[in-house]
Amino acid sequence: MVLDITGGDEDTVRIVMAALEERWATSGISPVQREPGVPGVRARVYADILRPKLQ
């Protein structure tokens, strides 16, 4: 599954990615992108929501 995360600031988006990483097998914390003239930031995470993260 591809998850596009949009938030008001980089810290918020990174917190969301970290929470997803704790729950499922994901591609990890990805770079946060900011598009000029568009409010907020975004990032993309690939997650296997059927497979819990291995401890």
Side-chain angles (χ1 to χ4, degrees), residues 1-4 24-28 30 44-49:
M1 173 174 281
V2 177
L3 304 170
D4 288 321
W24 295 309
T26 71
S27 57
S30 63
R44 176 169 282 177
V45 175
Y46 298 90
D48 184 347
I49 62 171

Side-chain angles (χ1 to χ4, degrees), residues 4 6 9 14 24 31 33 35 37 39 42 45-46 48 51 53-54:
D4 288 321
T6 304
D9 58 71
R14 285 192 180 103
W24 295 309
Q33 301 172 353
E35 188 174 332
R42 60 190 170 92
V45 175
Y46 298 90
D48 184 347
R51 188 176 70 188
K53 180 174 179 153
L54 300 175

Side-chain angles (χ1 to χ4, degrees), residues 3-21 28-34 39-45:
L3 304 170
D4 288 321
I5 302 165
T6 304
D9 58 71
E10 293 182 19
D11 289 338
T12 301
V13 170
R14 285 192 180 103
I15 289 169
V16 170
M17 287 189 284
L20 293 171
E21 188 175 39
I29 308 286
S30 63
V32 177
Q33 301 172 353
R34 184 178 299 273
V41 296
R42 60 190 170 92
R44 176 169 282 177
V45 175

